[in-house]
Amino acid sequence: MTKDNLKIFVHFLLLIPFQVLIANHLRFFGYINPQLSILFILWYPLKKDIRGFMLNAFAFGLLIDIFNNSGGINAAACLLIAYYRLPLLQFIINDKELNLKTFRYANYGTLPKIGLVFTLTFIHQTTIYLLEYFNSSFILEVFYKSITNSLFTTFVVTTLLAIFTSSSKK
Amino acid sequence: MQFILYLIQKHRNFLLFFVLQLIAFFFTIQYHSYRKSKFINSANNISGGIYNNVTSFRTYLYLKDENTLLTKENSLLKNQLFLKNKAIKSVFKDSIDATFQQKFTYSPAKIINNDFHKRNNYLTLSVGEKDSIQPDMAVVNSLGIIGITSNTSTNYATAISVLNTNFRVNARLKNNEYFGTLTWNGKEQNIVQLQDIPRQAKLSVGDTIVTGGRSAIFPEGILIGNVTNIKFEHNQYQQIDIHLFNDVKNVSNVYIIKNLHKTEIKQLEKQTYD
């Protein structure tokens, strides 16, 4: 097992129980739960070939769905942000020739990080709520919930990123 | 042919993305069809087992509330025992509800996972096929209805919560025979809605609503809640809000009711319609 595979396996093992047993039961204001799936997507090794990444993100989402009894909602949302992670990253940090091997979140300022986390979370949350409501007459509620949940998740995830991504890796 | 292969090769990332999204979409459609999420549910040994272990720890925090509820239920049952001049053959099994002439068995269960912040909420229960739990059985406690079992595995079961927009149950007013359908609009977690009540039914705020007994799942007369808001417009009831007696957010010990006559009723109905 390579170092990268081990890292992915550990993320699976830690993030899924943390999400389904703790984060999903926080329910601030009745519905706001931080979505730590974003961390799985952010921490996944950056590569040009994203097929393995997509399969892992899909499996990660589906495992959360099994615990949540929510069909394929999380699988769809995780897969979507996995597919668009690299283009979004290149767009937000404005670097088309990004060096994938030496990339570290710690090398970039707080603002681009918040921008990236918020955009990914917002896409993730909007997908989840759109698929959960599955009804266009609730569109305003979907956006309201997506935005509030994304703001909270961005705060939690950026804090965790700052704690667990050491700057010594520069 | 070569061109097609070239196209597949070129867009293989997108194709994989598309296929996986289709699978996720298929599971999502299943999730939205009433009790059809056969593949993706928490009634399996891994998620059920994890939830069970965590719940056995968490229940210690609520022992006091649960004890109070059980003592209240015990005193209620004891009062009923004294009031009834009937010899009850077995307290544990085969209780015959003399008021409504239906035959049901009650078995205890524990809720090991309870969602209530979504629009379609499910419960995971600590009992399964080995405890003769099947789909479409009523889940209740002493305060009223909680849900209906949907998927089962050997050791665990999932149940569709009363707080699920797909949940439907026949309900009626306690003081007269007018009946309607109980649903949830997905908004407040303790308010459900009563629909299809005929306009001639006299309703007032505070009226008690109980199960109607027109389904083969719930016995007649199980408590639901009381009326909190009535909207009567265009000579019809537009919306009737019911405040649940149960706080579904905080339930742990429940009963699962099996209707012993269900197969007979279903068979008879099928023969009639055929």
Side-chain angles (χ1 to χ4, degrees):
Chain A
M1 199 183 260
T2 64
K3 198 183 155 197
D4 276 354
N5 285 345
L6 187 75
K7 211 165 122 184
I8 296 162
F9 182 71
V10 170
H11 289 164
F12 256 94
L13 223 58
L14 290 177
L15 288 174
I16 291 178
F18 198 79
Q19 179 70 52
V20 297
L21 299 176
I22 298 168
N24 278 357
H25 295 272
L26 292 178
R27 299 181 186 114
F28 295 113
F29 303 108
Y31 67 91
I32 297 180
N33 293 331
Q35 297 296 317
L36 300 178
S37 323
I38 309 296
L39 277 176
F40 180 80
I41 304 295
L42 287 172
W43 278 337
Y44 200 93
L46 270 177
K47 279 177 192 163
K48 269 249 150 46
D49 183 13
I50 58 164
R51 271 164 296 156
F53 181 30
M54 283 197 289
L55 285 170
N56 274 319
F58 180 77
F60 185 90
L62 206 61
L63 278 170
I64 289 178
D65 281 325
I66 289 176
F67 279 94
N68 284 1
N69 289 301
S70 51
I73 290 178
N74 280 286
C78 285
L79 180 64
L80 190 69
I81 54 170
Y83 188 72
Y84 286 110
R85 180 186 66 164
L86 191 58
L88 269 174
L89 187 68
Q90 285 170 332
F91 176 75
I92 286 172
I93 60 175
N94 206 6
D95 187 0
K96 283 268 177 233
E97 304 302 318
L98 197 67
N99 191 335
L100 302 183
K101 274 192 180 154
T102 56
F103 177 82
R104 294 273 179 276
Y105 287 108
N107 297 354
Y108 295 91
T110 318
L111 219 57
K113 262 191 281 189
I114 291 180
L116 177 71
V117 176
F118 183 77
T119 319
L120 285 178
T121 319
F122 185 67
I123 297 172
H124 182 262
Q125 284 300 295
T126 314
T127 316
I128 286 186
Y129 280 119
L130 277 176
L131 289 176
E132 191 181 321
Y133 278 70
F134 226 56
N135 189 335
S136 57
S137 50
F138 291 102
I139 201 83
L140 282 176
E141 205 176 324
V142 165
F143 277 106
Y144 174 72
K145 283 192 169 180
S146 306
I147 287 175
T148 45
N149 226 329
S150 305
L151 286 172
F152 185 70
T153 304
T154 308
F155 171 71
V156 175
V157 169
T158 344
T159 314
L160 288 173
L161 261 185
I163 295 170
F164 292 105
T165 318
S166 66
S167 51
S168 60
K169 285 174 184 174
K170 263 181 187 181
Chain B
M1 187 66 199
Q2 210 168 5
F3 181 67
I4 293 172
L5 281 176
Y6 167 75
L7 272 185
I8 291 174
Q9 182 77 8
K10 197 181 168 194
H11 298 288
R12 56 190 173 178
N13 282 352
F14 180 75
L15 277 175
L16 179 70
F17 171 74
F18 187 71
V19 170
L20 290 176
Q21 280 294 14
L22 273 186
I23 299 171
F25 200 68
F26 168 74
F27 287 142
T28 307
I29 298 280
Q30 276 219 325
Y31 157 74
H32 282 284
S33 344
Y34 181 52
R35 279 180 279 149
K36 271 189 181 164
S37 43
K38 287 266 179 287
F39 309 110
I40 308 298
N41 63 69
S42 60
N44 60 62
N45 280 336
I46 300 169
S47 54
I50 292 173
Y51 277 143
N52 203 14
N53 285 329
V54 173
T55 308
S56 59
F57 167 73
R58 201 181 280 159
T59 42
Y60 280 107
L61 304 172
Y62 302 102
L63 277 182
K64 203 178 160 191
D65 294 344
E66 278 302 314
N67 277 340
T68 320
L69 191 71
L70 290 173
T71 326
K72 273 185 190 165
E73 192 189 358
N74 261 340
S75 57
L76 184 84
L77 290 173
K78 281 192 175 176
N79 282 333
Q80 281 182 354
L81 268 176
F82 282 119
L83 284 172
K84 276 189 183 172
N85 264 343
K86 269 174 162 260
I88 293 176
K89 284 172 190 165
S90 162
V91 183
F92 301 107
K93 285 254 164 183
D94 290 10
S95 69
I96 298 168
D97 194 325
T99 327
F100 301 112
Q101 296 301 316
Q102 280 176 327
K103 207 174 177 189
F104 299 96
T105 58
Y106 284 65
S107 46
K110 190 163 263 194
I111 294 178
I112 56 172
N113 184 48
N114 184 2
D115 282 332
F116 47 81
H117 63 282
K118 294 184 280 188
R119 275 174 65 76
N120 294 330
N121 297 295
Y122 287 86
L123 316 163
T124 313
L125 304 166
S126 63
V127 287
E129 285 152 15
K130 72 168 178 19
D131 311 284
S132 46
I133 303 301
Q134 289 154 4
D136 290 333
M137 285 183 172
V139 183
V140 302
N141 71 357
S142 56
L143 295 176
I145 64 165
I146 291 168
I148 300 171
T149 57
S150 62
N151 289 91
T152 53
S153 69
T154 319
N155 296 305
Y156 303 100
T158 54
I160 176 168
S161 165
V162 62
L163 301 181
N164 185 315
T165 51
N166 290 324
F167 185 88
R168 300 278 182 278
V169 73
N170 177 267
R172 70 168 177 83
L173 288 125
K174 197 182 179 185
N175 52 11
N176 62 46
E177 288 297 320
Y178 289 111
F179 66 89
T181 310
L182 193 79
T183 57
W184 185 52
N185 61 8
K187 287 182 181 161
E188 287 177 74
Q189 286 152 354
N190 48 7
I191 307 284
V192 291
Q193 284 68 39
L194 187 62
Q195 293 181 338
D196 311 326
I197 285 281
R199 60 182 166 208
Q200 61 269 33
K202 279 192 177 144
L203 257 180
S204 48
V205 171
D207 280 356
T208 304
I209 307 294
V210 294
T211 52
R214 274 172 179 78
S215 75
I217 298 173
F218 282 95
E220 189 172 359
I222 299 270
L223 291 171
I224 294 174
N226 50 22
V227 178
T228 53
N229 181 30
I230 305 166
K231 199 172 157 193
F232 191 83
E233 276 172 12
H234 309 297
N235 213 14
Q236 260 176 348
Y237 285 111
Q238 301 294 342
Q239 190 171 336
I240 304 166
D241 287 338
I242 314 290
H243 188 280
L244 289 171
F245 289 131
N246 248 325
D247 180 10
V248 185
K249 289 177 282 184
N250 190 17
V251 278
S252 174
N253 291 303
V254 293
Y255 299 108
I256 298 187
I257 307 177
K258 183 183 184 181
N259 185 347
L260 299 172
H261 292 172
K262 190 180 151 197
T263 327
E264 192 181 327
I265 295 169
K266 289 277 169 203
Q267 259 177 7
L268 191 66
E269 281 177 355
K270 194 170 176 274
Q271 278 170 11
T272 316
Y273 284 116
D274 287 346

